[in-house]
């Protein structure tokens, strides 16, 4: 059995995809500044002559949270509160101390306006309640904000008021801002989210519906929607998880830390399909010796049972033994009794 392949942080969403994280969006390239990395096509371009590089870089890497370094915050469309990022909102609103009925996660694609940190203009607050018309209220609750001047505005890379670049990497589809471009963020159209690690190092598998490292292009076992399910150990949804993910030889995916915990508890089979997750040949040899050294009583000498091999799927009739039952096809002891 091959050892599981570690996808590492490179499989992760951009910091867990700041303002993006699940399926399907289009990308704007990693935006350095100005002409090298243009802002999203829906946003008005910033004129280079009117905004100098000092203004663009003002406050770079000085603002943000543990998830992202960015010069803006977002207004959550679900609860109308301001947070540093989507993950900060989800952590606060799903805290154990929050009433269960009030817990929720942010619908990240509905973030439409951005807010800057130092202050919010008083008129923007009153504006939110100036109209009782349902359509107007809907428009006002989908918002994003600038950390330097406090202007609340439509989602864009450059602040309309002070001209600062709110994130050197900006994806208008994911509503993702990040000043730390060393992560080498990129947007995957197939996944619909921003990932990290450099687009040239990964490919998107249409069947698995996720990105894998190039080394797995011709060798990974395809499993339909491999990443679109919960971790079989901790039950966290893997596709937008912030933790490292590992691909087991069977093609199923699991958190790397959960996989290690599983091995520490002497569990060496996939929790989903029960196939061995590592080379067990040395263990099978020891079982061979133990069985040879442990003859069964006469009463069981001629007793046979039917087994199903979890590794190769073969059904076989084998002699009964208290220690284990070996598959005659693949020599694995990873078997289960189907008939007595």
């Amino acid at each position: 059995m091959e050892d599981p392949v570690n996808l590492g942080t490179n499989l992760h969403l951009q910091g867990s995809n700041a303002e993006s994280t699940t399926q399907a969006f289009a990308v704007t390239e990693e935006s350095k500044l100005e002409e090298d990395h243009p802002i999203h096509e829906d946003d008005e371009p910033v004129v280079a002559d009117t905004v100098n590089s000092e203004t663009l870089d003002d406050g770079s890497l000085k603002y943000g949270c543990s998830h992202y370094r960015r010069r803006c915050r977002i207004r959550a469309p679900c609860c109308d509160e301001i947070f540093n990022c989507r993950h900060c909102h989800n952590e606060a609103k799903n805290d154990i101390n929050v009433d269960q009925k009030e817990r929720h996660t942010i619908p990240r694609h509905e973030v439409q306006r951005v807010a800057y940190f130092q202050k919010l203009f008083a008129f923007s607050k009153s504006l939110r309640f100036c109209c009782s018309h349902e359509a107007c209220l809907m428009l006002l609750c989908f918002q994003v904000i600038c950390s330097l001047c406090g202007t609340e505005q439509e989602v864009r890379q450059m602040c309309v008021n002070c001209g600062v670049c709110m994130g050197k990497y900006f994806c208008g589809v994911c509503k993702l801002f990040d000043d730390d471009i060393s992560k080498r963020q990129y947007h995957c159209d197939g996944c619909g989210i921003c990932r990290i690690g450099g687009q040239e190092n990964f490919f998107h598998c249409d069947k698995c519906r996720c990105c894998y490292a190039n080394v797995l292009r011709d060798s990974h076992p395809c499993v339909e929607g491999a990443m679109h399910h919960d971790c079989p150990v901790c039950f966290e949804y893997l596709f937008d998880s912030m933790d490292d993910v590992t691909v087991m030889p069977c093609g199923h995916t699991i958190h790397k830390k959960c996989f290690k915990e599983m091995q520490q508890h002497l569990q060496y089979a996939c929790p989903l399909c029960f196939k061995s997750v590592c080379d067990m040949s040395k263990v099978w040899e020891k079982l061979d010796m133990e069985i040879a050294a442990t003859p069964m009583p006469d009463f069981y000498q001629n007793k046979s049972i039917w087994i199903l091999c979890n590794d190769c799927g073969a059904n076989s009739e084998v002699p009964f033994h208290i220690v284990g039952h070996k598959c005659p096809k693949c020599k694995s002891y990873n078997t289960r009794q189907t008939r007595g």
Side-chain angles (χ1 to χ4, degrees):
M1 273 296 173
E2 296 179 0
D3 289 333
V5 181
N6 176 29
L7 299 182
T9 19
N10 294 332
L11 182 63
H12 296 165
L13 318 177
Q14 158 40 12
S16 242
N17 286 48
E19 291 341 292
S20 79
T21 326
T22 344
Q23 308 181 183
F25 356 131
V27 211
T28 42
E29 277 292 325
E30 255 188 290
S31 34
K32 282 183 186 171
L33 295 174
E34 304 181 63
E35 71 274 12
D36 288 340
H37 291 277
I39 60 177
H40 190 265
E41 59 184 5
D42 293 335
D43 295 329
E44 296 177 9
V46 175
V47 182
D49 293 339
T50 59
V51 182
N52 59 41
S53 59
E54 287 185 5
T55 301
L56 290 173
D57 281 333
D58 191 18
S60 177
L61 298 175
K62 295 179 181 178
Y63 296 89
C65 58
S66 60
H67 308 107
Y68 303 99
R69 307 309 299 170
R70 60 209 296 191
R71 284 162 282 176
C72 66
R73 291 188 291 179
I74 63 168
R75 182 179 295 282
C78 43
C79 55
D80 201 39
E81 295 181 30
I82 296 174
F83 294 89
N84 287 331
C85 75
R86 183 176 61 86
H87 302 293
C88 290
H89 168 279
N90 293 346
E91 288 172 4
K93 294 301 180 180
N94 288 282
D95 187 86
I96 194 170
N97 297 316
V98 175
D99 187 286
Q100 206 163 16
K101 294 179 181 178
E102 300 296 324
R103 295 177 191 177
H104 64 279
T105 55
I106 194 171
R108 69 177 174 280
H109 292 123
E110 292 181 1
V111 176
Q112 298 296 325
R113 312 186 79 146
V114 185
Y116 284 54
F117 281 50
Q118 293 179 347
K119 62 176 181 175
L120 292 175
F121 294 133
F123 73 82
S124 68
K125 229 175 183 180
S126 57
L127 184 67
R128 224 171 298 126
F129 303 102
C130 71
C131 179
S132 59
H133 192 277
E134 186 177 350
C136 294
L137 291 174
M138 286 285 287
L139 287 171
L140 289 168
C141 71
F142 296 159
Q143 302 171 1
V144 209
I145 309 171
C146 171
S147 306
L148 277 72
C149 69
T151 305
E152 191 163 338
Q153 58 199 279
E154 297 296 327
V155 174
R156 58 174 60 241
Q157 188 176 18
M158 311 297 179
C159 175
V160 290
N161 183 51
C162 66
V164 74
C165 175
M166 293 186 279
K168 292 182 179 179
Y169 175 82
F170 169 69
C171 178
V173 182
C174 301
K175 283 80 178 181
L176 173 59
F177 301 79
D178 200 341
D179 273 333
D180 183 8
I181 57 175
S182 65
K183 299 174 184 176
R184 302 177 68 194
Q185 304 92 327
Y186 70 96
H187 183 96
C188 173
D189 291 320
C191 290
I193 56 178
C194 290
R195 296 194 179 279
I196 61 175
Q199 190 167 11
E200 70 281 2
N201 298 317
F202 297 88
F203 73 97
H204 181 83
C205 177
D206 291 328
K207 184 175 181 181
C208 296
R209 289 188 287 145
C210 61
C211 289
Y212 289 125
N214 288 334
V215 293
L216 297 178
R217 185 181 294 273
D218 301 316
S219 60
H220 79 283
C222 277
V223 173
E224 185 70 37
M227 289 286 291
H228 295 262
H229 63 80
D230 297 338
C231 171
V233 174
C234 69
F235 304 111
E236 180 186 359
Y237 190 54
L238 289 173
F239 188 70
D240 53 13
S241 173
M242 297 178 68
D243 295 321
D244 291 354
V245 175
T246 283
V247 181
M248 293 179 282
C250 57
H252 291 122
T253 50
I254 186 174
H255 281 133
K256 185 180 178 182
K257 64 179 182 181
C258 293
F259 181 77
K260 287 182 176 178
E261 263 185 56
M262 205 171 71
Q263 290 184 315
Q264 287 169 3
H265 289 83
L266 306 180
Q267 299 297 317
Y268 300 104
C270 171
L272 299 175
C273 66
F274 304 109
K275 289 186 177 181
S276 300
V277 295
C278 55
D279 183 3
M280 300 291 289
S281 57
K282 298 295 183 184
V283 178
W284 304 157
E285 287 175 10
K286 288 182 179 179
L287 286 174
D288 283 338
M289 291 188 288
E290 188 172 346
I291 288 175
T294 315
M296 294 295 289
D298 292 341
F299 180 77
Y300 294 101
Q301 285 296 327
N302 298 317
K303 181 175 174 61
S304 295
I305 61 168
W306 283 86
I307 62 168
L308 169 67
C309 179
N310 293 322
D311 286 336
C312 71
N315 282 285
S316 311
E317 187 178 17
V318 298
F320 173 78
H321 199 285
I322 193 67
V323 174
H325 305 108
K326 184 175 185 177
C327 172
K329 184 177 179 181
C330 69
K331 313 304 179 187
S332 169
Y333 278 95
N334 182 15
T335 60
R336 68 181 84 176
Q337 182 178 340
T338 56
R339 280 185 284 165

